[in-house]
Amino acid sequence: MSQIDVSPVESPKDRDLFIEFPWKIYRNDPAWVPPLIIERKEFLDRKKHPFYLHGDAQLFLARRNGEVVGRIMASDDPNYNALHETNVGCFGLFECIDDREVAAVLFDAAEDWLRKKGRTEVMGPIDYSTNYVCALLIDGFQYPPTLLTSHNPPYYAGLIESCGFTKAKDWYAWWFSEYPEPAERLRKIALARSRKQGVTIRPINVKKVAEESQHIRTIYNQAWEKNWGFVPFTEREIEYMAKEMKPLINPRATLLAEAGGEPVGFVIAVPDINVAFRHMNGRLFWFGLPIGLLKLLYYKMKIRTGRLVALGVVEKYRRAGVAETLVLQVMDEAFKLGFTGELSMTLEDNVMVNRFIEAVGARRYKTFRIYRRAISGADQAAS
């Protein structure tokens, strides 16, 4: 068998090959949504992405006979390890032909980079941190990915597991197709409970997105701090995310809960722009003409699906009906406008949240998985 060469991505040419490689993997996958190439370049730009202000990452390409056959990113987040008192690095952006040997050398390259950072364990797929796209799709392959969720061929799980990775945690995605009558009764009950606690719900102020995003960051970092895999958003990261999401925000679907004038909860739901991206093949311009941009504007008007991206309520108000009120109000608005969509992602062991989602008529239609593996020789290297 011909030799497989793995090398770090160091040149603009290799970066472009890294970004474009998925087109080879998914060329016959009708569910795949090509990413915007311009967005991928910015996401991987060390000078622009805020992750690099506190963390580090390295991209790798695998070649056989000069042809790219796989890619991977290794990332190191000191903030995660400091919070969880762990010594973990991550792999992400994994794409590979159906060949265990190629997968193995990619994981070994990522592991070697993390070993030199002093890490003793690797987990993933995680693109930088769990605040970005993460986890491997393990069922529901026939459905296109919604905004900021992953998609991959079914054979990836076998490749990863054959390389010694084991399950760390599963995440669920839920689909809402109708607004059931019991949900309306539950919304009234939850709203009454939250009002008794002096909680009010208001739409986000789109004219003050920067300020509102910092409110959301404060709530998120408090509400999620005890969840598995949590890593706090930095100020710069939430600014970056707000800039990315601002064109999609509808104030009727992005809500803040307040008590005594202080933010205590939030929900973010956005139209699924992936519906439009599916028609653009990754480009806004073709031959100097804004063909992709025109397609984006045309198909954006036709979007009738959305994704509930995030929900958070500070601990003091978790039994005050705030979370239920936020979710059900967004659902009510969405169905009035003729939208259906996804709520994701929820942890497999978040029993109360998962039961609530089922109770309001959603069905679990996708499962995602994070894997982990000990880094061989890491203890010796550290010593």
Side-chain angles (χ1 to χ4, degrees):
M1 186 174 293
S2 55
Q3 183 178 350
I4 301 165
D5 297 309
V6 177
S7 58
V9 171
E10 296 177 339
S11 67
K13 180 180 178 180
D14 276 357
R15 181 208 58 188
D16 291 346
L17 289 172
F18 187 96
I19 290 171
E20 294 165 6
F21 178 66
W23 270 259
K24 176 178 179 179
I25 297 294
Y26 299 98
R27 60 190 170 202
N28 296 318
D29 185 346
W32 182 57
V33 177
L36 275 182
I37 292 174
I38 189 173
E39 183 277 331
R40 290 288 83 186
K41 288 182 178 180
E42 187 161 320
F43 184 77
L44 297 175
D45 192 328
R46 302 179 69 90
K47 296 179 181 179
K48 293 183 178 180
H49 200 285
F51 174 81
Y52 291 99
L53 295 176
H54 65 271
D56 195 9
Q58 178 63 58
L59 309 178
F60 296 91
L61 283 173
R63 291 178 172 90
R64 177 183 281 152
N65 299 327
E67 180 184 0
V68 176
V69 289
R71 73 175 201 181
I72 200 167
M73 175 176 72
S75 63
D76 180 49
D77 187 350
N79 287 357
Y80 177 90
N81 286 300
L83 177 68
H84 294 277
E85 298 181 344
T86 53
N87 197 14
V88 176
C90 295
F91 78 86
L93 298 174
F94 172 74
E95 303 286 0
C96 185
I97 64 171
D98 192 1
D99 187 314
R100 184 196 176 280
E101 186 181 7
V102 176
V105 296
L106 284 168
F107 289 127
D108 287 347
E111 184 178 276
D112 185 58
W113 186 85
L114 291 168
R115 186 187 298 110
K116 292 174 182 176
K117 292 283 185 180
R119 301 308 179 196
T120 58
E121 186 179 32
V122 56
M123 65 180 183
I126 295 172
D127 300 353
Y128 292 141
S129 79
T130 53
N131 290 332
Y132 304 97
V133 175
C134 64
L136 190 84
L137 182 67
I138 62 171
D139 67 47
F141 301 99
Q142 68 271 38
Y143 303 108
T146 58
L147 176 68
L148 298 177
T149 63
S150 64
H151 182 77
N152 51 263
Y155 68 81
Y156 276 17
L159 288 182
I160 292 172
E161 291 166 12
S162 73
C163 291
F165 285 86
T166 58
K167 171 187 169 181
K169 189 71 68 174
D170 279 357
W171 304 69
Y172 297 152
W174 305 81
W175 190 262
F176 292 91
S177 57
E178 59 182 352
Y179 192 78
E181 186 176 334
E184 178 58 30
R185 293 197 299 269
L186 181 58
R187 185 166 80 92
K188 291 178 180 178
I189 294 170
L191 184 58
R193 285 172 55 200
S194 63
R195 283 175 174 169
K196 282 184 180 180
Q197 299 294 322
V199 176
T200 57
I201 308 294
R202 68 169 177 84
I204 191 173
N205 187 338
V206 292
K207 294 181 179 180
K208 298 181 178 180
V209 168
E211 181 181 332
E212 299 280 51
S213 67
Q214 293 304 326
H215 292 324
I216 290 172
R217 170 179 172 264
T218 299
I219 299 166
Y220 177 85
N221 287 350
Q222 290 180 39
W224 280 69
E225 64 179 347
K226 295 179 182 178
N227 284 359
W228 184 92
F230 165 76
V231 60
F233 268 110
T234 66
E235 287 189 25
R236 292 291 299 273
E237 283 183 304
I238 205 69
E239 289 171 3
Y240 180 91
M241 188 68 73
K243 178 184 174 183
E244 293 283 298
M245 301 289 284
K246 185 177 179 180
L248 300 177
I249 287 178
N250 181 332
R252 295 166 68 180
T254 300
L255 308 173
L256 279 170
E258 296 177 327
E262 293 296 320
V264 298
F266 75 91
V267 66
I268 299 174
V270 294
D272 181 18
I273 195 65
N274 275 10
V275 172
F277 286 169
R278 293 185 74 183
H279 301 276
M280 298 170 58
N281 201 29
R283 299 182 183 276
L284 292 174
F285 292 86
W286 289 85
F287 306 108
L289 299 174
I291 295 172
L293 182 60
L294 292 174
K295 286 185 176 181
L296 174 62
L297 296 174
Y298 175 77
Y299 286 104
K300 186 178 179 181
M301 294 187 295
K302 294 182 174 295
I303 295 174
R304 286 297 176 268
T305 58
R307 180 187 173 211
L308 198 156
V309 176
L311 169 71
V313 177
V314 298
E315 189 169 5
K316 180 180 177 181
Y317 290 90
R318 286 189 189 154
R319 298 186 180 276
V322 177
E324 294 89 341
T325 301
L326 288 167
V327 171
L328 291 167
Q329 186 165 323
V330 167
M331 285 177 60
D332 190 34
E333 291 290 340
F335 287 114
K336 284 179 182 177
L337 296 172
F339 274 69
T340 59
E342 176 181 296
L343 185 156
S344 63
M345 297 156 51
T346 66
L347 287 164
E348 61 177 332
D349 49 8
N350 196 337
V351 177
M352 292 186 65
V353 167
N354 291 332
R355 284 180 177 173
F356 164 68
I357 295 170
E358 285 184 306
V360 295
R363 64 179 178 88
R364 179 158 62 93
Y365 84 118
K366 287 184 180 181
T367 305
F368 301 87
R369 179 164 295 171
I370 299 288
Y371 288 90
R372 68 187 341 148
R373 172 175 102 172
I375 295 178
S376 61
D379 293 332
Q380 295 91 325
S383 60

